[in-house]
């Protein structure tokens, strides 16, 4: 805006008052947060001052008299000490055993498996089942997907014209991804495969016999009494489910190592039909996998990267609409694929709301919980039109690993959780560089944060993923030290190029 003042033109910015108001509100809220967070300390200071002042007034005679009183009440002292010892013993015996993340490794596909946008469209054009409408739909999805030019696909997509996938092809992809990630994990941690007591593997689409876990046990000649589990059909959030299962097993079996491997099989995930709701997965899913080493040994705390703080799982499968929004099915021509409903984002939003309702009290500071409670009471008692208060999860976490399921998923969570661009940077860059690697995407995002050198001791990490069923699962980790990227970090050769500017 411009206004005249004695012939002088003055440039006025209408945004300045709004900016100052937002800054003021920000600092008022921060002041409130610090006040509530340190309220117990502030209340204890006067009490401790009074105690210290009174104690300083005691003379040697007063202290001697107090000691004599304790001698005369020896039985009471012994009973109090006994109660204290018993209570301490019960506490230490009943408390939950800590679970540490020693290290993790993400699969880095070789460059010859890169799938550029042009090659992807060339491959699709060679697919005889795709008509012109399908090709145009695929092109539009690719342009809006948020995927870059360096995502990778299995060997089966290197042949033009396309060939029908076989079980042998799917096994070849599985072994390539799985054994590469596990080799790096064992090398980086100096843990022998025979020392692993618990093994959990998750893959949704491809579940052969013998299972994935049996393939790993055979390859590394693991011991015969290993507790192995194979999770199938549980979608992109199964990585958190696998961690939760491993945690429960580690709390039962003392002094044990657990390996979790999360992946998806692209060879069996390709859809060659024309149903548009089933074509989307062709554009988003790419090659990837992650292996994680967990431990409950107290001696591993010093060398571990993180400690598992919380796992919160939400399952909306009782609702038919949520149950059917992501489903593997056959089209009218009998071709199998994964269908994504138009209601997917709405259902994901509801699942997220339910999940954070449980997670919030576990992680949010008292200041945010108090605001939420006051707003809820005011809404119920006084005005039904009052908007519910959205807690500021930026006060609970320093880092966010949002499942890189697609650009729309990241956009929706950024908006709903009121996050800043830096908070979703790891998710967007993972989608750009590696695509949707299903349940392993949250580990590529954590690897990105480490490669950037942003992880500091005491930082809290929120991994959140969505999956068929419909599920929303969260895992919360606490950094035990200033975390440096491990050898063979998937970002080590390209992190200097990120973040990149994305088209909106």
């Amino acid at each position: 805006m411009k206004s005249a003042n004695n012939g002088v033109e003055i440039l006025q910015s209408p945004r300045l008052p709004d900016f100052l108001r937002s800054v003021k509100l920000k600092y008022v809220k921060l002041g409130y947060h610090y006040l509530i967070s340190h309220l117990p300390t502030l209340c204890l200071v006067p009490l401790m001052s009074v105690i210290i002042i009174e104690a300083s007034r005691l003379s040697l005679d007063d202290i001697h008299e107090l000691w004599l009183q304790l001698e005369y009440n020896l039985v009471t002292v012994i009973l109090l000490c006994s109660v204290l010892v018993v209570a301490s013993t019960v506490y230490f015996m009943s408390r939950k055993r800590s679970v540490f993340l020693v290290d993790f490794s993400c699969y880095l596909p070789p460059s010859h498996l890169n799938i550029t946008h042009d090659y992807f469209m060339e491959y699709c054009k060679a697919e005889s089942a795709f008509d012109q409408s399908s090709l145009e739909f695929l092109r539009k999805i690719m342009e809006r997907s948020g995927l870059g030019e360096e995502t990778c696909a299995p060997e089966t997509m290197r042949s033009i014209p396309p060939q029908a996938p076989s079980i042998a092809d799917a096994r070849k992809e599985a072994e390539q991804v799985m054994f590469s990630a596990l080799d790096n994990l064992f090398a980086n941690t100096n843990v022998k495969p025979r020392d692993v007591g618990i093994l959990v593997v998750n893959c949704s689409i491809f579940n052969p016999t013998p299972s994935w876990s049996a393939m790993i046990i055979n390859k590394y000649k693991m011991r015969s009494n290993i507790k192995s589990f194979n999770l199938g059909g549980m979608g992109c959030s199964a990585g958190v489910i696998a961690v939760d299962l491993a945690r429960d097993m580690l709390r039962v079996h003392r002094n044990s190592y657990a390996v979790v491997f999360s992946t998806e099989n692209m060879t069996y995930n390709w859809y060659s039909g024309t149903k548009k709701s089933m074509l989307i997965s062709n554009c988003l899913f790419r090659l990837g996998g992650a292996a994680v080493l967990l431990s409950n040994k107290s001696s591993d705390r010093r060398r571990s990267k993180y400690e598992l703080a919380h796992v919160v799982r939400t399952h909306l499968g009782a609702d038919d609409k949520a149950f059917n929004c992501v489903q593997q099915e056959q089209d009218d021509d009998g071709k199998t694929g994964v269908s994504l409903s138009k209601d997917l984002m709405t259902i994901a939003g509801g699942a997220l709301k339910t999940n954070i309702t449980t997670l919030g009290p576990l992680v949010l500071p008292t200041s945010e919980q108090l605001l939420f409670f006051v707003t809820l009471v005011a809404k119920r008692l006084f005005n039904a039109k009052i908007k519910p208060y959205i807690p500021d999860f930026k006060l609970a976490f320093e880092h966010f690993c949002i499942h890189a399921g697609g650009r729309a998923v990241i956009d929706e969570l950024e908006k709903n959780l009121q996050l800043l661009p830096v908070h979703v940077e790891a998710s967007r860059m993972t989608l750009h560089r590696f695509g949707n690697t299903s349940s392993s995407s949250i580990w590529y995002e954590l690897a990105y944060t480490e490669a950037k050198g942003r992880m500091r001791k005491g930082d809290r990490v929120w991994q959140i993923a969505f999956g068929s069923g419909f599920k929303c699962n969260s895992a919360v980790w606490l950094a035990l030290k200033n975390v440096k990227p491990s050898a063979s970090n998937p970002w080590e050769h390209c992190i200097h190029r990120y973040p990149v500017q994305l088209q909106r």
Side-chain angles (χ1 to χ4, degrees):
M1 294 176 59
K2 295 181 180 180
S3 63
N5 186 3
N6 295 329
V8 179
E9 204 173 50
I10 301 175
L11 184 65
Q12 296 178 339
S13 173
R15 293 181 178 274
L16 188 58
D18 294 336
F19 171 74
L20 290 175
R21 192 180 300 112
S22 64
V23 171
K24 182 179 179 181
L25 287 173
K26 175 184 177 182
Y27 283 105
V28 168
K29 186 173 182 179
L30 282 175
Y32 161 76
H33 166 66
Y34 286 122
L35 175 63
I36 297 298
S37 299
H38 297 89
L39 188 60
T41 303
L42 294 175
C43 293
L44 284 174
V45 167
L47 178 61
M48 292 300 298
S49 300
V50 171
I51 293 174
I52 292 172
I53 291 172
E54 290 298 324
S56 64
R57 294 175 177 176
L58 293 175
S59 64
L60 291 176
D61 292 336
D62 294 331
I63 296 173
H64 182 68
E65 185 178 348
L66 181 62
W67 175 253
L68 290 176
Q69 290 179 3
L70 289 175
E71 282 186 331
Y72 291 134
N73 294 277
L74 186 60
V75 176
T76 303
V77 173
I78 292 175
L79 286 174
L80 288 174
C81 290
S82 300
V83 170
L84 182 62
V85 170
V86 171
S88 300
T89 303
V90 171
Y91 169 75
F92 284 108
M93 292 294 291
S94 62
R95 69 172 182 170
K96 293 182 178 179
R97 186 175 296 273
S98 297
V99 173
F100 306 110
L101 192 162
V102 181
D103 205 349
F104 66 97
S105 174
C106 298
Y107 171 67
L108 177 63
S111 58
H112 74 270
L113 295 179
N114 284 3
I115 299 293
T116 64
H117 288 202
D118 289 341
Y119 180 86
F120 176 82
M121 290 309 303
E122 182 183 349
Y123 182 85
C124 292
K125 289 176 183 177
E127 175 66 72
S128 58
F130 294 153
D131 55 22
Q132 192 59 39
S133 175
S134 299
L135 291 172
E136 182 63 21
F137 180 77
L138 287 167
R139 184 187 63 80
K140 289 181 179 179
I141 295 296
M142 281 301 299
E143 289 176 352
R144 304 170 185 171
S145 65
L147 274 68
E149 300 286 345
E150 296 179 88
T151 61
C152 295
E155 296 282 357
T156 51
M157 286 189 67
R158 306 307 303 178
S159 60
I160 296 179
Q163 298 178 357
S166 65
I167 290 182
D169 293 329
R171 281 187 177 276
K172 182 179 179 181
E173 177 195 339
E175 292 172 356
Q176 180 182 9
V177 175
M178 179 167 52
F179 298 150
S180 175
L182 287 168
D183 285 346
N184 287 334
L185 180 69
F186 290 134
N188 291 343
T189 58
N190 291 320
V191 170
K192 297 178 181 179
R194 290 190 62 84
D195 293 335
V196 176
I198 301 159
L199 175 64
V200 185
V201 183
N202 69 271
C203 179
S204 290
I205 301 298
F206 180 56
N207 290 285
T209 300
S211 66
W212 286 76
S213 56
M215 294 164 64
I216 294 174
I217 292 170
N218 175 260
K219 165 71 174 180
Y220 294 101
K221 309 305 177 189
M222 292 178 164
R223 65 199 200 198
S224 60
N225 64 342
I226 189 172
K227 308 295 185 295
S228 64
F229 303 87
N230 207 89
L231 308 180
M234 304 194 76
C236 299
S237 67
V240 178
I241 298 174
V243 167
D244 188 31
L245 176 57
R247 177 192 64 169
D248 290 344
M249 294 299 295
L250 285 170
R251 285 178 172 173
V252 174
H253 301 279
R254 295 175 177 271
N255 297 317
S256 298
Y257 285 117
V259 166
V260 172
F261 179 73
S262 301
T263 190
E264 190 52 83
N265 192 273
M266 274 198 68
T267 300
Y268 260 41
N269 202 35
W270 181 261
Y271 171 65
S272 58
T274 57
K275 191 174 180 180
K276 289 182 170 57
S277 63
M278 300 170 71
L279 283 170
I280 298 174
S281 60
N282 287 355
C283 301
L284 298 178
F285 283 93
R286 291 295 184 266
L287 200 61
V292 182
L293 179 67
L294 303 175
S295 172
N296 60 10
K297 301 180 181 182
S298 56
S299 58
D300 280 327
R301 182 183 183 91
R302 293 187 62 184
R303 71 172 184 138
S304 296
K305 290 184 173 183
Y306 308 95
E307 181 179 352
L308 182 58
H310 306 287
V311 175
V312 174
R313 294 166 55 182
T314 300
H315 203 307
L316 302 183
D319 180 86
D320 291 340
K321 200 172 184 180
F323 176 77
N324 293 312
C325 73
V326 180
Q327 192 164 17
Q328 187 182 26
E329 60 186 23
Q330 289 182 320
D331 63 13
D332 295 336
D333 297 323
K335 295 180 178 179
T336 304
V338 176
S339 176
L340 304 179
S341 167
K342 293 181 180 179
D343 300 320
L344 177 60
M345 294 312 304
T346 302
I347 293 167
L352 173 66
K353 181 180 178 181
T354 305
N355 188 267
I356 63 178
T357 300
T358 305
L359 180 67
L362 301 175
V363 298
L364 286 169
T366 307
S367 57
E368 289 300 293
Q369 295 189 48
L370 185 60
L371 282 175
F372 178 80
F373 177 74
V374 169
T375 306
L376 182 64
V377 171
K379 180 179 175 63
R380 294 285 178 87
L381 298 181
F382 304 110
N383 188 353
K385 294 183 179 180
I386 296 177
K387 292 183 178 180
Y389 176 72
I390 300 176
D392 188 356
F393 280 90
K394 298 188 293 295
L395 296 174
F397 303 106
E398 285 74 31
H399 309 285
F400 297 79
C401 296
I402 300 168
H403 166 52
R407 197 177 73 175
V409 174
I410 302 172
D411 289 345
E412 191 70 17
L413 264 71
E414 180 182 16
K415 176 184 175 182
N416 289 344
L417 296 176
Q418 300 179 354
L419 302 179
L420 301 174
V422 68
H423 295 130
V424 294
E425 181 183 312
S427 300
R428 293 195 189 281
M429 296 307 107
T430 294
L431 182 64
H432 180 272
R433 173 63 182 84
F434 294 100
N436 180 353
T437 60
S438 190
S439 56
S440 64
S441 68
I442 54 178
W443 297 108
Y444 284 91
E445 293 159 14
L446 188 57
Y448 177 90
T449 305
E450 292 182 1
K452 279 292 184 182
R454 296 173 180 172
M455 193 66 66
R456 295 288 180 264
K457 183 178 181 180
D459 282 2
R460 297 152 297 181
V461 184
W462 183 12
Q463 290 180 323
I464 181 167
F466 301 91
S468 58
F470 187 83
K471 301 181 287 293
C472 175
N473 298 324
S474 295
V476 179
W477 302 90
L478 176 68
L480 298 175
K481 57 185 176 183
N482 296 341
V483 180
K484 297 180 180 179
S486 303
S488 302
N489 181 290
W491 298 90
E492 62 183 359
H493 300 300
C494 63
I495 192 64
H496 61 281
R497 296 190 275 113
Y498 286 89
V500 297
Q501 188 66 35
L502 301 177
Q503 294 182 354
R504 304 296 290 179

